[in-house]
Amino acid sequence: MQGNNAQCLKAKAAAVQAFGADYSFVSGRRDLCLDLSFAPFKGAVKAVAFDIDGTLCDSIWQIIKCARLAFNELKIPQPEENAIKAIIGKKLQEGLESLLPEGFMHLGDQVTHCYRDIFADLPEIRETRLFPWVGGVLRQLHESGFKIAYASGKSKRGIERSLAESVLGDYCDALCAGDEVPSKPHPAMAQLVARRLRLPTFTILGVGDAGMDVQLFQNASCVSCGVQSGVWSGEALLQLRPNLLLPHIGFLPQFLGAD
């Protein structure tokens, strides 16, 4: 896993160049199923750490709608839809502030509070909607002896709500929230998950739908898996060279021998 950091730095530079303000990372195929370099690490994997939004939960549209309503409430010019997608996974206020246009930068606190109020008030936005394959995958992994963790930019309160409202809470050996550590792709989130699981990072397979997820796990020397069920297309994720690239987590058990 030592070569991962150098590879990640090169991939990150390529991603910044390829996926800049045009947000082209959302475009492209979403059906790629590739073992790029996973097989040598398969036997070492003891746990799977999942991102939540776009990976386990079909929640991208909820986040976009909530952000648009918050900006509209404060009469802030609306950001592009793909710009909103680009912040998913970061700490909420940090992400929303990055969307504020010139002349509105002082409204970071207000737009964050407004977003949270709207989220709390609208059931259709707040509802935890798992992809249909999630429950079965988590059960298979658990029964095969893998530990399960969650590494999400959501607040700890938000993660705990998702766990309480869904089957996610039945399979949780550890979690790390965005309000505990620096934003992805800083490695601290994966490193804290590893400490809470009492496992070295190289025994953890990290799974996420966005470039910052893949980079987070690469930066922490975890095994990495990109899924195409959320923000980034498969073609975009491919440029970051995750160890494994799947259409969605429903394909994961066959690669881990848990099917």
Side-chain angles (χ1 to χ4, degrees):
M1 302 297 292
Q2 296 298 322
N4 267 6
N5 286 336
Q7 292 173 4
C8 179
L9 290 174
K10 292 180 181 178
K12 186 174 181 180
V16 169
Q17 182 177 6
F19 310 115
D22 63 353
Y23 306 114
S24 58
F25 57 83
V26 302
S27 302
R29 292 177 58 182
R30 292 178 176 266
D31 61 349
L32 300 179
C33 190
L34 302 171
D35 179 348
L36 298 171
S37 55
F38 177 68
F41 304 107
K42 176 181 175 181
V45 173
K46 305 299 181 187
V48 184
F50 293 100
D51 167 59
I52 294 180
D53 290 315
T55 301
L56 301 177
C57 294
D58 188 9
S59 53
I60 304 302
W61 71 270
Q62 295 169 309
I63 295 169
I64 293 169
K65 183 174 181 179
C66 196
R68 289 205 178 283
L69 289 172
F71 274 64
N72 185 65
E73 179 71 20
L74 296 173
K75 297 180 172 55
I76 302 171
Q78 289 284 341
E80 297 178 38
E81 179 174 308
N82 287 339
I84 300 172
K85 289 181 180 179
I87 70 164
I88 296 173
K90 289 185 174 290
K91 292 180 181 179
L92 180 60
Q93 183 156 345
E94 179 182 330
L96 291 174
E97 286 179 344
S98 73
L99 298 174
L100 293 171
E102 188 175 351
F104 294 86
M105 299 299 294
H106 61 290
L107 295 179
D109 288 340
Q110 291 93 318
V111 73
T112 303
H113 289 307
C114 187
Y115 181 103
R116 287 183 170 138
D117 288 344
I118 292 169
F119 186 88
D121 290 343
L122 296 181
E124 69 271 21
I125 289 179
R126 187 177 64 251
E127 180 184 3
T128 299
R129 300 186 181 187
L130 301 182
F131 290 113
W133 46 80
V134 169
V137 169
L138 296 180
R139 176 181 53 78
Q140 287 176 286
L141 295 179
H142 174 74
E143 291 177 352
S144 296
F146 293 98
K147 292 186 178 295
I148 295 170
Y150 305 110
S152 171
K154 296 164 74 76
S155 67
K156 187 175 181 182
R157 180 180 177 185
I159 294 176
E160 289 175 343
R161 180 171 50 241
S162 294
L163 266 59
E165 294 175 349
S166 72
V167 71
L168 299 184
D170 296 335
Y171 306 99
C172 180
D173 296 295
L175 63 84
C176 183
D179 52 9
E180 296 184 274
V181 292
S183 278
K184 303 174 184 180
H186 192 285
M189 182 175 289
Q191 291 166 342
L192 184 53
V193 164
R195 289 198 296 273
R196 288 173 174 173
L197 289 172
R198 298 184 180 181
L199 289 172
T201 57
F202 67 83
T203 66
I204 298 171
L205 173 63
V207 185
D209 67 294
M212 70 180 73
D213 298 316
V214 171
Q215 291 168 349
L216 156 71
F217 295 119
Q218 289 174 331
N219 289 341
S221 295
C222 298
V223 187
S224 60
C225 174
V227 292
Q228 302 151 64
S229 52
V231 175
W232 281 46
S233 72
E235 291 172 336
L237 287 167
L238 185 59
Q239 295 199 33
L240 297 178
R241 305 300 296 177
N243 299 107
L244 192 60
L245 181 59
L246 304 176
H248 55 71
I249 72 158
F251 290 79
L252 191 58
Q254 70 188 71
F255 285 92
L256 286 171
D259 54 352

